[in-house]
Amino acid sequence: MAFGALIPAAGLSSRMGRFKPLLPLGGGSRLTEEGRTLLLRCSAMQRELQACCHRIFENHFSDYTLPAQD
């Protein structure tokens, strides 16, 4: 499964003299915090998808067995 994400970021801050996505925020930068949030949400989505697939399999294919592989 593939998906995309848009991390909002702006250009150079004239007052701060640095790129806005790289300004300090929570021990990192806005960009690192957005990336961390994205990773956490992806992990949560993956767990939900796995649980959903497990429920579907249990409800609809519980008596199905895979053939033995040599």
Side-chain angles (χ1 to χ4, degrees):
M1 174 190 308
F3 66 94
L6 176 66
I7 299 177
L12 184 66
S13 170
S14 57
R15 286 183 293 137
M16 303 294 257
R18 295 174 63 187
F19 285 102
K20 292 176 186 175
L22 301 178
L23 290 173
L25 176 69
S29 68
R30 177 174 178 100
L31 200 54
T32 57
E33 289 300 314
E34 293 285 343
R36 186 174 296 125
T37 300
L38 181 61
L39 286 174
L40 290 173
R41 289 187 179 172
C42 288
S43 295
M45 287 172 40
Q46 181 182 12
R47 285 191 302 273
E48 284 182 40
L49 181 59
Q50 286 175 335
C52 180
C53 289
H54 182 74
R55 285 192 302 273
I56 290 170
F57 183 81
E58 289 295 317
N59 291 334
H60 299 286
F61 303 103
S62 59
D63 57 347
Y64 179 79
T65 56
L66 295 172
Q69 296 183 9
D70 295 327

